[in-house]
């Protein structure tokens, strides 16, 4: 006999009758029914796309959030930040530097430029600190509570370099409750991935959390260039990262300190020459993804070191919240590779050297480095907490970056001797003032307006002291500045509950 599901009314009637005999409380049964009903409802996803904690369904921004079990599952494979590629609608992430230089695209908009001072139209914000340089964007993802992707221009609240969108990370914060986790996995090619965290209270008001990551993978790409044969020459890496946070919670004041560090030692992405059949999208016959033909693979290397700290102070006043966020980020990198992807392409004593695979027009072995990069940011904002129809937030933002870039060229025919060097220096200072107002016209209709004024200055110089093609020393210097007013106006209307 097919079982019939009782209605809530029927359950309450039966409970009422039964309670006369057994003393069962109607409220207990009603509470059970309410709990069951809540389980059948959609989970409320909270986002901070507008620097407030809000229901994702009520934010007038095209935003997608990744959190909970989905985030854990996607990030469990031990990949770098590119694990999010195609996991969130409209978001793509790729790199020509491997684990150290991710480039973000939202709705197909991005910047393919691989220069170390190239700006990207999709910004990355981690724990409310903008990661401006592309090297900073490669910091490993671990112990993260939520990822948000904001599609479309975000210039009013988040400022510079967000015309295509914004990717926002929020890590797990300390709490008074003692908690922790650990996860370890082992894969093919000697891949090992470990991450874990532990935290809890130090005093009634002070808590801490320590998070760590260790990833390791063996070299697995064989080099079969004639005369340069080497098994397991490329593809491996060792990456370590850690984060420590301290949270102080007073009556009307909270303070959060965050320090993080990263160390990567590995090999760069493996370039390959002539792997596509001309006029097609097909790989050449006999292509193997774990084989290259390089004459400079033995000198390929990539090292990245970065560290940073931030301090978030927040005061809860009667009807307002004052927030101060100070940040410092610093990075160093050196990456050297055989970027022609083959062997040969040069002559020794006017005698051409055998080349392959296919035609190699010239040999190219180069390196890029950042010996020094420091970024300082400061944001101060005031947010209202009115119970009425109008709320607003206003703020100021300051950005200061000093960046040194070094470009190297090497003579592969002469055992990799240095034959080209350029040093670049770029100093950037920017500031902005911004504001946003929310007005509730009716219970179903809310209007938001925002305005931002930004001012940028850049001082750039490049000094070439050695050239692989001759021509002597060259020095250029450029100073540029610009200001801009950006704004947004949006409405959010609830069609039904």
């Amino acid at each position: 006999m097919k079982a019939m599901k009782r209605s809530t009314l029927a359950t309450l009637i039966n409970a009422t009758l039964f309670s006369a005999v057994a003393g069962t409380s109607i409220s207990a049964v009603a509470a059970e029914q309410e709990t069951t009903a809540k389980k059948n409802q959609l989970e409320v996803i909270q986002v901070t796309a507008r620097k407030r904690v809000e229901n994702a369904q009520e934010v007038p921004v095209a935003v997608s959030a990744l959190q909970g079990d989905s985030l854990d599952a996607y990030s469990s494979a031990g990949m770098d930040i590119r694990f999010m590629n195609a996991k969130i609608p409209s978001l793509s992430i790729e790199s020509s530097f491997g684990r150290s230089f991710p480039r973000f695209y939202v709705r197909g908009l991005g910047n393919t430029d691989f220069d170390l001072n190239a700006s990207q139209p999709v910004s990355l914000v981690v724990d409310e600190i903008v990661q401006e340089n592309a090297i900073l964007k490669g910091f490993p993802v671990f112990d993260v509570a939520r990822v948000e992707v904001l599609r479309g221009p975000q210039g009013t609240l988040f400022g510079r370099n967000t015309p295509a969108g914004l990717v926002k990370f929020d890590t797990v914060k300390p709490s008074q409750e003692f908690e922790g986790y650990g996860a370890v996995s082992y894969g093919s090619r000697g891949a090992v991935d470990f991450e874990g965290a532990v935290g809890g209270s130090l005093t009634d008001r002070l808590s801490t959390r320590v998070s760590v990551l260790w990833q390791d993978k063996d070299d697995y790409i064989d080099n079969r260039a004639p005369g340069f044969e080497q098994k397991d020459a490329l593809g491996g890496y060792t990456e370590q990262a850690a984060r420590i946070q301290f949270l102080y919670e007073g009556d009307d004041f909270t303070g959060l300190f965050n320090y993080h560090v990263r160390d990567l030692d590995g090999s760069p992405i493996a370039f390959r020459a002539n792997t596509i059949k001309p006029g097609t999208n097909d790989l050449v016959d006999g292509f193997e993804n774990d084989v290259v033909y390089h004459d400079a693979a033995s000198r390929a290397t990539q090292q990245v070191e970065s560290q940073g700290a931030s301090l978030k102070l927040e005061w809860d006043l009667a009807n307002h919240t004052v927030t101060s966020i100070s940040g410092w980020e610093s990075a160093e990198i050196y990456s050297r590779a055989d970027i022609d992807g083959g062997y040969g392409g040069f002559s020794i004593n006017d005698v051409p050297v055998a080349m392959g695979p296919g035609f190699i027009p010239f040999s190219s072995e180069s390196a890029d480095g950042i010996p020094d990069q420091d970024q300082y940011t400061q944001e101060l904002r005031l947010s209202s907490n009115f119970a009425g129809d109008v709320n607003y937030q206003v703020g100021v933002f300051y950005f200061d970056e000093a960046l040194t870039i070094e470009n190297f060229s090497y003579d592969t025919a002469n055992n990799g001797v240095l034959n080209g060097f350029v040093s670049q220096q770029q100093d950037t200072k920017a500031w902005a003032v911004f504001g946003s107002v929310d007005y509730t016209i009716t219970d179903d209709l809310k209007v938001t307006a925002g305005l931002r004024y930004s001012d940028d200055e850049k001082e750039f110089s490049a000094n070439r002291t050695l050239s692989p093609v001759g021509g002597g020393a060259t020095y250029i210097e450029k100073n540029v500045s610009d200001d801009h007013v950006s704004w947004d106006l949006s409405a959010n209307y609830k069609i039904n509950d």
Side-chain angles (χ1 to χ4, degrees):
M1 182 177 179
K2 185 177 180 180
M4 297 181 62
K5 184 177 180 181
R6 288 183 174 181
S7 67
T8 303
L9 179 59
T11 302
L12 291 177
I13 292 174
N14 279 274
T16 304
L17 295 174
F18 186 74
S19 64
V21 179
T24 302
S25 170
I26 296 177
S27 60
V29 179
E32 180 181 351
Q33 292 293 322
E34 183 180 356
T35 301
T36 303
K38 287 183 177 180
K39 288 181 179 179
N40 294 329
Q41 293 177 354
L42 290 176
E43 178 186 2
V44 175
I45 299 178
Q46 293 183 329
V47 296
T48 56
R50 299 193 301 165
K51 300 189 177 183
R52 297 176 183 268
V53 178
E54 299 174 294
N55 185 338
Q57 292 183 321
E58 300 178 358
V59 176
V61 177
V63 56
S64 296
L66 188 63
Q67 59 189 29
D69 293 340
S70 296
L71 178 59
D72 293 339
Y74 289 148
S75 61
S76 63
M79 293 180 62
D80 54 54
I81 197 171
R82 290 173 292 175
F83 80 87
M84 294 194 306
N85 183 43
K87 300 298 190 300
I88 297 179
S90 303
L91 177 66
S92 300
I93 308 174
E94 54 85 19
S95 173
S96 55
F97 274 68
R99 302 174 67 85
S100 63
F101 196 120
R103 294 190 288 266
F104 294 77
Y105 303 81
V106 172
R107 292 172 173 168
L109 300 176
N111 185 3
T112 61
D113 192 347
F114 50 82
D115 201 341
L116 291 176
N117 66 344
S119 295
Q120 297 182 357
V122 179
S123 186
L124 176 66
V125 175
V126 179
D127 289 334
E128 302 189 71
I129 303 296
V130 61
Q131 309 295 301
E132 177 63 21
N133 190 278
I135 300 302
L136 298 177
K137 299 179 192 295
F139 195 90
V141 180
F142 60 102
D143 201 22
V144 170
R146 179 174 56 241
V147 179
E148 297 175 18
V149 176
L150 285 59
R151 296 183 289 276
Q154 307 297 326
T156 300
L157 289 179
F158 290 96
R160 63 198 327 270
N161 296 335
T162 59
L166 176 84
V167 179
K168 189 173 183 293
F169 282 82
D170 292 316
T171 62
V172 179
K173 300 300 184 288
S175 69
Q176 286 288 303
E177 181 181 355
F178 177 78
E179 60 180 1
Y181 78 96
V184 61
S185 60
Y186 177 80
S188 60
R189 296 165 176 167
V192 178
D193 178 72
F194 168 78
E195 67 171 89
V198 63
S201 63
L202 299 177
T203 69
D204 291 341
R205 294 186 179 273
L206 183 65
S207 54
T208 187
R209 187 177 183 91
V210 179
S211 313
V212 296
L213 172 83
W214 179 67
Q215 296 177 322
D216 188 82
K217 187 174 186 176
D218 296 338
D219 287 323
Y220 66 94
I221 300 176
D222 297 339
N223 184 24
R224 296 182 186 171
F228 301 92
E229 293 87 349
Q230 181 184 357
K231 187 173 179 59
D232 299 331
L234 300 169
Y237 56 84
T238 297
E239 176 132 53
Q240 303 168 71
R243 182 189 305 113
I244 183 170
Q245 300 179 81
F246 294 95
L247 176 63
Y248 176 83
E249 299 173 283
D251 293 333
D252 300 312
F253 167 78
T254 60
L256 176 66
F257 175 76
N258 177 318
Y259 175 76
H260 44 275
V261 62
R262 174 197 190 191
D263 186 285
L264 168 65
D265 185 7
S267 57
I269 195 169
F271 291 82
R272 293 173 168 87
N274 304 313
T275 59
I276 306 295
K277 291 182 180 179
T280 75
N281 292 322
D282 301 326
L283 294 171
V284 295
D285 296 335
F287 173 82
E288 298 177 78
N289 66 349
D290 55 357
V291 173
V292 295
Y293 298 85
H294 290 184
D295 48 14
S298 62
R299 295 185 289 269
T301 185
Q302 184 173 96
Q303 292 99 36
V304 181
E305 294 181 1
S306 68
Q307 60 178 328
S310 63
L311 179 64
K312 180 179 180 180
L313 307 176
E314 200 159 63
W315 293 266
D316 289 327
L317 309 179
N319 295 310
H320 291 84
T321 299
V322 178
T323 305
S324 171
I325 305 173
S326 308
W328 164 70
E329 301 290 339
S330 179
E332 298 179 16
I333 182 176
Y334 176 79
S335 182
R336 178 172 178 172
D338 184 340
I339 63 172
D340 62 70
Y343 59 92
F346 54 85
S347 300
I348 298 179
N349 297 324
D350 296 326
V351 178
V353 175
M355 67 176 64
F359 176 65
I360 308 296
F362 57 87
S363 176
S364 183
E365 181 184 353
S366 66
D368 290 309
I370 296 180
D372 186 33
Q373 185 269 348
D374 285 287
Q375 169 194 296
Y376 301 92
T377 58
Q378 174 64 51
E379 181 173 328
L380 183 65
R381 66 177 184 260
L382 174 70
S383 304
S384 67
N385 304 312
F386 301 141
D389 296 332
V390 178
N391 271 289
Y392 66 88
Q393 57 179 314
V394 295
V396 294
F397 175 77
Y398 178 74
F399 176 90
D400 190 339
E401 182 189 47
L403 173 65
T404 302
I405 299 175
E406 294 178 338
N407 309 111
F408 306 85
S409 175
Y410 302 97
D411 185 359
T412 306
N414 190 21
N415 295 318
V417 173
L418 182 71
N419 64 357
F421 178 75
V422 176
S423 176
Q424 306 175 56
Q425 181 67 40
Q426 178 175 287
D427 297 324
T428 304
K429 289 181 173 60
W431 63 273
V433 293
F434 60 89
S436 178
V437 178
D438 297 326
Y439 179 56
T440 302
I441 299 177
T442 69
D443 290 341
D444 296 327
L445 179 61
K446 180 185 291 186
V447 176
T448 300
L451 187 68
R452 187 184 188 99
Y453 172 79
S454 302
D455 186 283
D456 275 33
E457 294 183 2
K458 284 184 183 289
E459 298 179 358
F460 174 82
S461 64
N463 186 20
R464 186 182 69 191
T465 57
L466 183 63
S467 172
V469 295
T474 302
Y475 179 81
I476 61 172
E477 182 177 333
K478 296 288 183 180
N479 298 328
V480 296
S481 62
D482 195 13
D483 58 2
H484 182 69
V485 175
S486 56
W487 59 273
D488 67 79
L489 180 64
S490 58
N492 192 43
Y493 179 73
K494 294 181 182 179
I495 298 176
N496 52 49
D497 291 339

